[in-house]
Amino acid sequence: MNRQDILTSLKSCSPKVLIIGGGINGVGTFRDLTLQGVDTLLIDRADFCSGASAASSRMAHGGVRYLENGEFRLVREAVQERNRMIQNAPSLVKPLPTTIPIFKTFSGLFNAPLKFLGWLERPSERGGLIIKVGLIFYDAFTGKTRAVPRHIFDNRSISQKKYPRINPAVRYTATYYDGIILSPERLTLELLLDAEREGDHARALNYVSLIGANGDRATLKDEVTGQTVDIAPRLIINAAGPWVDQTNRSMGLSTHYVGPTKGSHLVLDAPELREAIGDHEFFFENKDGRIVLIFPLFDKVMIGTSDIPIEEPDSVRCTEEEVDYFIEMVGRVFPGIQVSRKQIAFRFSGVRPLAYTKVKNAGQITRDHHIQEDKLGEIPVYSLVGGKWTSFRAFSEQVTDRVLAFLGLPRKADTKSLPIGTGKAAIALKTDPHFTRSEIASMAEREKIIHLDDLVLRRTLLGYLGQLTHPLVEELANALGESLGWEGEQKKAEVRRALEILADKHAVCL
Ligand SMILES: Cc1cc2nc3c(=O)[nH]c(=O)nc-3n(C[C@H](O)[C@H](O)[C@H](O)COP(=O)(O)OP(=O)(O)OC[C@H]3O[C@@H](n4cnc5c(N)ncnc54)[C@H](O)[C@@H]3O)c2cc1C
C-alpha cells in the first residue's frame, strides 16, 4: 500500500496496535509485531529515524564502562545484541576495533565500590589494571559466538609502533572489539521495509503525528495535508523516545518517565587524524573525566560526544562551546595533530531518552530499558523508556511479548537470527557518492521519501559525510521531483527547506 492507500484504509479499518514513533525502538517493535501477524500501524511525526536514533555515536556496543556501575545484565544483553547485529546485518554493521589509550596503572580501582555505596560523584581516572579487569568480563559476555576477536593489551613501546602519532604520555593501549553501525538511518528503514513485506497488516507512515485522544480514540494528523483521522486501536505503544512524556501529555496522561540528556558530534574532513587512527575507534577518558570518542567513518572522522541534562528536546544544536571542547579533546591523544573548525563537514545533536532519575552525573544514569504502563480509558498505553540502539531487538522482543500476552496470541516467529534487509545502498556510497537517476527513482518509490532532506540526510550519507554541494542538492531535487511529481515552486521550496535544515541543524552552508 502506498501512503494514500494507508491513509484511506485508516478511515474504515483501525489497527489493533498503534505505535507512536518511528525511531529504532518503534520500528524494531513494528517488525516483531507484524512478523507475528498483528495488525499494526506505525506513525512518526517527522521522518523515520530522525530523532535520537539518527544522533547516536553509531556504536553497536555493550558499553564496557557500564560494568563499573554494576550493570552486568545490560552489558551482557547489549554484547549479545551487538553480535547479532553483526551477524544479521553484515553490510551495515561491522566489527570495529576500539582502542583505549591509558595514562595510569592503578588509578580507578575503587570507583565501582564507592559508586555502589553512593559515595562517588565523579569517578577517578581509570588505570590499566581496572580496564584489564573490565575487558576480561566484556570478552566473557561474548560467549561462544566469537563474532569479534578478544581484547589485547599493549605496552608503551608497542603502542607507539602501532600508532606513531599517539601521545608519548600514554602508558598502555587496550584494544577490544565492538561494532560500527555504518548507517543507522538505513538500518532502521530496512527493518521497516522488511516488516511491510509481511503484508497489509503492516502499515507505516512518516509525517503523521499523534495530536490527541478522546475516550478510546486517538487523533492522527497528516503533516503533509493537515487532514486528521481518528482511530480506535486496542493498544498503544508510545515509542516517542525523548518525547515520551510530551506525547503522553497530548493524550491527557501526566507522566515523568524520561530525563533527557543532549549529545553532539562533529564529522571532520581531517586526513591527518584519519590516518593516525587507522580503522580504530579511540575511546577514552578526557581530562574532565568524560568518556569521549574519535571514530573512523568512511574517509572522515567523527568526534563526540557530550552528555548534558536538558528540559526541552525539540531544539538541540551542537553549540560553539561543544565544538571547542571536541576540538581540544583530540589533543589529549594526538597532541601533534591540529584540528580546526575549517575541517568540520557536518555537526549534529540529539537527545538520549534516559529514564528519569535524581542522579546528578549524567554519565552514571542507566542506559537500560523498561516499559511503563498507563491506561487511556480501557486501552493500555505502553511507554518505552530508555534503551540503547544496540539493544533495540531485545527491547522490541520484550514489548512484543507483552503485547502478545495482552492480545492472547502466541509468538510465531523469532527475530534473534533474522537477517535484516540488504543494506546495499550504504556501501555503494562508499565507492561512489553519485547515485544514478534510476536509483533515486527506486528510493522515491520504495522508501517513503516525502522531503528532499529525507534523501540527503537519511536515505543516503551524503550530508553526513560532507559530500553535498549546492548543484548536487539541486540535481537531487530534480531527480526526486520527477518521481514525486514536484512542480517548479514545490521543487524550489524543497531545496530551500533542505538547505535551511543543513545550515540550521548541521552548520552546513551551501
Ligand atoms: C548523542 C547520542 C549518542 C548515542 N550513542 C549510542 C551508541 O553509540 N550506541 C547505542 O547503542 N546507543 C546510542 N545512543 C542511544 C540510542 O540512540 C537511543 O537510545 C535510541 O536511538 C532511542 O530510540 P527511540 O526509538 O526510543 O527514540 P527516537 O529515535 O527519538 O524515536 C522517537 C520518534 O518519535 C517521534 N515522535 C515524537 N512525538 C511524536 C508524536 N506525537 N507523533 C508521532 N511521532 C512522534 C519522533 O519524531 C522520533 O522519530 C545514543 C543517543 C544519543 C542521543
Side-chain angles (χ1 to χ4, degrees):
M1 284 198 278
N2 64 27
R3 181 181 181 84
Q4 197 46 53
D5 294 337
I6 298 177
L7 286 164
T8 309
S9 75
L10 292 179
K11 291 183 185 144
S12 54
C13 173
S14 282
K16 212 169 250 175
V17 176
L18 168 67
I19 302 178
I20 307 161
I24 188 56
N25 287 323
V27 171
T29 305
F30 180 63
R31 176 186 70 153
D32 204 343
L33 278 174
T34 53
L35 267 175
Q36 318 309 326
V38 177
D39 180 9
T40 308
L41 171 71
L42 176 138
I43 56 162
D44 197 294
R45 66 176 181 179
D47 194 13
F48 306 114
C49 195
S50 58
S53 302
S56 88
S57 305
R58 301 186 170 227
M59 289 158 67
H61 70 149
V64 66
R65 74 189 172 98
Y66 307 131
L67 288 173
E68 199 180 65
N69 298 351
E71 299 200 80
F72 296 103
R73 192 211 70 78
L74 165 75
V75 178
R76 180 194 297 271
E77 177 182 85
V79 165
Q80 286 167 358
E81 292 303 321
R82 173 202 73 191
N83 294 348
R84 290 190 174 114
M85 285 171 86
I86 291 172
Q87 283 156 352
N88 297 338
S91 58
L92 285 169
V93 187
K94 297 195 178 290
L96 173 73
T98 302
T99 294
I100 310 177
I102 304 164
F103 295 81
K104 296 196 168 162
T105 305
F106 297 108
S107 175
L109 283 173
F110 298 108
N111 285 348
L114 290 176
K115 262 186 206 174
F116 181 74
L117 293 170
W119 293 346
L120 192 72
E121 276 292 306
R122 193 192 133 178
S124 56
E125 185 171 341
R126 289 93 177 161
L129 200 55
I130 192 68
I131 290 174
K132 179 79 189 167
V133 172
L135 290 176
I136 291 171
F137 271 100
Y138 204 62
D139 279 344
F141 285 157
T142 293
K144 292 195 186 109
T145 40
R146 289 280 145 242
V148 298
R150 286 178 185 280
H151 81 271
I152 51 168
F153 230 78
D154 288 320
N155 63 22
R156 192 191 310 249
S157 71
I158 297 180
S159 302
Q160 281 179 355
K161 275 194 196 107
K162 285 188 176 172
Y163 318 105
R165 308 293 301 272
I166 206 165
N167 189 340
V170 168
R171 286 193 192 177
Y172 320 92
T173 53
T175 297
Y176 66 103
Y177 279 76
D178 265 325
I180 171 171
I181 310 172
L182 290 169
S183 171
E185 299 83 357
R186 179 146 292 277
L187 189 52
T188 307
L189 191 77
E190 296 287 0
L191 280 164
L192 185 115
L193 297 176
D194 283 351
E196 286 203 326
R197 278 191 279 274
E198 290 299 308
D200 286 352
H201 64 282
R203 292 176 275 178
L205 290 166
N206 45 359
Y207 298 100
V208 169
S209 318
L210 176 115
I211 55 165
N214 188 359
D216 60 356
R217 301 185 79 76
T219 305
L220 313 185
K221 178 179 169 202
D222 179 348
E223 295 292 343
V224 179
T225 61
Q227 285 177 356
T228 59
V229 60
D230 280 5
I231 59 168
R234 283 190 57 195
L235 189 145
I236 294 177
I237 298 171
N238 179 353
W243 299 276
V244 154
D245 294 312
Q246 202 173 306
T247 301
N248 278 338
R249 271 198 297 282
S250 70
M251 292 189 279
L253 300 170
S254 172
T255 60
H256 193 179
Y257 296 143
V258 169
T261 71
K262 168 189 154 174
S264 302
H265 294 86
L266 301 178
V267 179
L268 302 176
D269 190 358
E272 205 185 344
L273 181 59
R274 181 70 187 78
E275 196 186 329
I277 61 173
D279 283 329
H280 289 228
E281 172 190 8
F282 277 74
F283 194 53
F284 58 99
E285 197 173 335
N286 202 11
K287 282 181 228 150
D288 61 353
R290 268 209 55 65
I291 307 290
V292 288
L293 51 93
I294 305 178
F295 194 90
L297 191 69
F298 299 91
D299 63 336
K300 304 287 187 297
V301 183
M302 183 176 81
I303 60 177
T305 174
S306 37
D307 204 358
I308 305 165
I310 51 148
E311 297 289 326
E312 167 51 55
D314 275 323
S315 53
V316 291
R317 295 289 181 273
C318 176
T319 60
E320 296 309 319
E321 207 183 341
E322 287 175 291
V323 172
D324 287 340
Y325 178 88
F326 294 146
I327 287 180
E328 201 195 328
M329 118 222 161
V330 172
R332 174 148 165 89
V333 183
F334 297 105
I337 298 180
Q338 291 300 317
V339 170
S340 75
R341 283 184 136 71
K342 281 195 199 124
Q343 295 175 320
I344 302 173
F346 193 75
R347 56 173 97 173
F348 61 99
S349 217
V351 179
R352 298 175 186 85
L354 305 180
Y356 172 74
T357 162
K358 292 203 168 86
V359 171
K360 286 196 200 109
N361 182 340
Q364 290 183 26
I365 302 173
T366 180
R367 267 57 176 166
D368 213 344
H369 51 79
H370 68 274
I371 306 167
Q372 293 277 7
E373 182 167 346
D374 294 278
K375 279 273 168 67
L376 190 65
E378 290 302 304
I379 307 176
V381 177
Y382 297 168
S383 295
L384 311 195
V385 182
K388 293 158 60 63
W389 224 108
T390 314
S391 33
F392 82 87
R393 194 211 60 83
F395 195 9
S396 304
E397 186 176 78
Q398 185 190 351
V399 180
T400 300
D401 284 341
R402 187 139 160 190
V403 174
L404 292 175
F406 171 77
L407 295 174
L409 296 171
R411 178 173 273 283
K412 292 196 231 164
D414 190 276
T415 54
K416 286 191 184 70
S417 331
L418 196 64
I420 302 169
T422 60
K424 281 185 194 127
I427 42 176
L429 187 70
K430 191 176 176 182
T431 50
D432 181 6
H434 303 290
F435 290 91
T436 64
R437 289 179 95 84
S438 63
E439 278 170 319
I440 303 292
S442 140
M443 284 191 202
E445 187 192 335
R446 288 180 63 235
E447 301 189 351
K448 297 175 184 271
I449 295 175
I450 301 286
H451 291 293
L452 180 58
D453 48 283
D454 303 339
L455 176 72
V456 300
L457 285 172
R458 288 170 292 276
R459 301 302 182 278
T460 69
L461 294 173
L462 288 167
Y464 209 96
L465 296 178
Q467 291 168 335
L468 288 174
T469 58
H470 199 128
L472 181 56
V473 172
E474 299 260 4
E475 196 187 336
L476 290 169
N478 282 331
L480 198 57
E482 268 173 33
S483 303
L484 298 181
W486 294 341
E487 299 302 334
E489 259 320 302
Q490 194 177 356
K491 216 183 312 176
K492 281 189 200 152
E494 284 295 334
V495 171
R496 264 198 312 276
R497 175 186 151 105
L499 294 177
E500 272 167 24
I501 292 175
L502 283 163
D504 176 34
K505 286 195 169 177
H506 308 293
V508 173
C509 301
L510 301 176

